[in-house]
Amino acid sequence: MAISSLGIGSGVLTSDIIEKLKANDEKNTIDPIRDKITVTEAKEKSMELLTSLVDTLQTSVSSLGDSALYQSTSTTVTGDAATVEAIAGVSVQSFELEVTQLAKTDVVESGTFASATSLVAGGAGTMSIAVGGTTYDVDYDASDTLTDLKGYINEEMSDSLTASILQVGTDDYRLILTSKDSGVDEKIIVSDSSGGNLKNALLSEDATIQSSVITKNGTGSDVTVSGANFTINNGDGTETPLAEDIEILAGSTADEVATLFKDAINKLTSTTGVVANIITKSGEPYLYLTNTNDTADATDNDITINVSGNALTYSGFSDGQSVTHDADAESTNIQESKDAKFIYNGINIERTSNTITDLSVGITINLLKEKDSANNVTGIVNVDISQDTEEITTEMENFVTAYNEVAKQISSMTQLNDDDKTQGLFRGDNTLSSVIRTMNNIITRTDSNGNSLINFGTTSSSGTFTPSIDIDRSGVMSFNSSVFESTFNDDPTAAETLFVGGTITSYTGIESREEGTFAQLKDSIKDMLKDTGSIGGTDSGLALLLKTLQTDQDNSILRLNDRYDTMTARFVQYDGMISKINSNFSTLSAAISAANN
């Protein structure tokens, strides 16, 4: 209500009086609410900062309480004969490798053709290519060229080998066959069908002989094949028996029997020059022997197998079975397939590939260089796989920093400043003070192994203990990274158990899960931040209080305005009445004055 003209009539009930009365009431009723709102808003800002700092602390705590942080490893390889990769979580270990032979693929080069369109056969037939234990048949006829044959091979054998044509010189084209995989079993043998017309330039110069299908041991009992009952004659007239008897267990499959004979024959390769492979036709295993001696035109490239006794039953060969080397064959082996050979911590090991993934779980070894004394290549690498503590140390540093920030903020909110005698907005609030107490109880707690975060450190020979984490009397946490890393590396497993937790066994033999320090801190902080927690609850309470105060302020202002609007209306009425009385009094006074005169 406008009161600017109030008091004109009376000169007594003026608007200035109303404003002074209202201002006094506002000071007594509304200003205290405004002061409370100001304090509450300041408290909310303080809590907002505290919550942000606790969130940062929780990030570090969550990371330190997660076992994934402790799975990171650091791999150090000394030497260039191999590379080593370790996945997260692999066990800490050290080992030495000496690479004595790299695995190689088999590469066969044909004889010479005048061009890529030269014909490969004088008539129809079937070309057989054995590689990796399987024989593939490729049909041809008199019209097929070298280019055609390359296409047939790649279409039929793309998973096992690749065929290409190499121009060596003028009018000199050659078919190159390369096995896809490495290993001694990947030897490539090219042969022609009986009565075939394939040109000699494509046939392997090595003599080869194939067994009949290998059979399983279905006797129901173990069988011993005497090494003397299986001999190899490589054409030089010498009969070489197997170096040891073959023990075939009851129930052995045909593939297992074939493998036993293959391994026994290959133990003699350095003496006989004969290499055994297993090939599969229609799902059935066969032994495939190759004389790899380098005297292509001599009879010592022939093979004769002599068998007797139960070797006749299980080897698949007949007694006196032989093959004569084709001296006219021109295809040559320009790179011999080999297994990788290396010494692992003193143990001789062979693999078909230079990439080794099955030696130790989570570790991949790539062999690069083999021992070559003539060129000063040792082939040796030393490998050390250790726990990578750098990330753990960094996260611990983050934790200490975040803890100190939280402690500092809570101190400023709850304590009296001795310098300027000012006190924190939450002075006397035990709820917030309990935050640090709760965390410190967990930090100083001792696990079932007698370890705690506060005694995680080193002890000198004189008995002096140096902690990696310490809290001084003023509540400031400090961190010694070098002591921490040294203590951690002494026993990474115990450290992870302290930080993350693990399985413990009671004296009665019952196993249970014990949460680690940071796992407990994570859960504790999570509870603090809930609406019912010490931090979240305080925050929620302030929000509710502020809302209530703002409502009280709005209602108080409304009541005050209503009261003084009513008062103003009455004052206007009173002012009119006084003015009328004054006017009447003036008239009466004038009349009296006139009568007296």
Side-chain angles (χ1 to χ4, degrees), residues 480-491:
N480 188 319
S481 60
S482 60
V483 172
F484 174 81
E485 290 183 358
S486 175
T487 307
F488 188 97
N489 289 329
D490 281 345
D491 194 343

Side-chain angles (χ1 to χ4, degrees), residues 408-440:
K408 179 181 178 182
Q409 175 65 9
I410 290 177
S411 176
S412 70
M413 293 166 67
T414 60
Q415 309 232 342
L416 176 68
N417 189 317
D418 292 333
D419 294 332
D420 57 13
K421 303 304 178 182
T422 58
Q423 64 180 20
L425 292 169
F426 293 85
R427 172 79 170 162
D429 189 329
N430 290 326
T431 301
L432 290 183
S433 299
S434 70
V435 170
I436 295 298
R437 288 197 303 271
T438 300
M439 289 196 295
N440 285 350

Side-chain angles (χ1 to χ4, degrees), residues 343-389:
I343 302 171
Y344 172 80
N345 281 348
I347 303 172
N348 289 303
I349 295 176
E350 295 185 17
R351 292 291 187 271
T352 60
S353 172
N354 290 319
T355 300
I356 317 299
T357 58
D358 60 351
L359 196 62
S360 184
V361 176
I363 296 177
T364 298
I365 301 172
N366 293 296
L367 308 181
L368 302 176
K369 293 181 179 181
E370 64 186 28
K371 183 177 181 179
D372 183 359
S373 300
N375 293 303
N376 295 319
V377 178
T378 64
I380 296 176
V381 294
N382 288 288
V383 181
D384 179 52
I385 300 174
S386 58
Q387 185 91 42
D388 186 357
T389 59

